[in-house]
Amino acid sequence: MRWLWCLLLWGSLMCATQRLWAQTSSEGDLAMAVYKQVNEVRQSRQLPPLVYNEELAVLAKTHTQSMVASGKLSHDGFSDRFAAVREKIPGLRALGENVAMNFPKEDVVADTVKNWMNSPVHRANILRENTLTGVAVIRAADGKYYFTQIFGK
């Protein structure tokens, strides 16, 4: 009987671990899809592709987690993020940030990038002479997706 209990417990832990991995993997896949679609937009306008930067991605993830926790979109703490990342990326001169919240759709990434391109400020960040980017996407418990893309040069 004890072995049955252990087997059930082990199975529950494995299922929980797989669900967590799948959620994280899915969010990572969505972030990479944003990165690719933004670069496709840039290349369609003869602009060089952005280089993915892990420091900017970590910064984007931290900010996205903050937005999910508060349940609202914001650029709160942008100056602090810029100051912190300048210490980690020597020569960084400028930073830009696009944020979004979107509901699940057939293609939530394409919808988000399209909305950014329809906004003059967000479009400017995408088309500016940036060279680096980092992206984070998190699906909140209520099903909404929160996005942060940080641009640097």
Side-chain angles (χ1 to χ4, degrees):
M1 186 69 171
R2 186 176 187 170
W3 65 269
L4 182 58
W5 179 254
C6 289
L7 184 61
L8 288 173
L9 180 61
W10 182 80
S12 296
L13 287 173
M14 289 303 296
C15 287
T17 302
Q18 288 174 340
R19 279 194 306 270
L20 180 60
W21 182 83
Q23 180 182 4
T24 304
S25 175
S26 176
E27 291 168 352
D29 291 346
L30 291 172
M32 284 295 103
V34 169
Y35 169 66
K36 289 177 183 174
Q37 286 190 27
V38 165
N39 270 337
E40 288 170 5
V41 168
R42 289 175 59 83
Q43 289 175 326
S44 75
R45 289 173 165 80
Q46 287 71 50
L47 296 169
L50 299 166
V51 174
Y52 198 82
N53 180 277
E54 195 59 37
E55 294 291 343
L56 294 181
V58 168
L59 201 61
K61 185 166 188 172
T62 301
H63 182 61
T64 306
Q65 289 169 332
S66 175
M67 290 191 303
V68 168
S70 70
K72 67 180 182 108
L73 290 180
S74 78
H75 293 284
D76 294 349
F78 179 79
S79 297
D80 295 334
R81 285 192 292 286
F82 185 40
V85 79
R86 284 185 76 185
E87 294 178 16
K88 296 180 180 184
I89 304 175
L92 188 68
R93 298 183 322 260
L95 204 65
E97 179 178 78
N98 284 355
V99 298
M101 185 274 299
N102 213 331
F103 296 93
K105 293 191 165 106
E106 188 173 323
D107 191 342
V108 70
V109 170
D111 189 61
T112 299
V113 173
K114 180 186 86 174
N115 289 339
W116 280 341
M117 289 304 293
N118 288 333
S119 159
V121 174
H122 294 98
R123 183 176 54 247
N125 279 338
I126 290 171
L127 301 178
R128 201 169 270 135
E129 292 180 6
N130 294 304
T131 57
L132 304 172
T133 194
V135 184
V137 180
I138 297 177
R139 185 174 185 179
D142 63 3
K144 295 175 188 166
Y145 288 91
Y146 289 79
F147 295 76
T148 302
Q149 182 167 22
I150 298 181
F151 304 88
K153 67 175 178 178

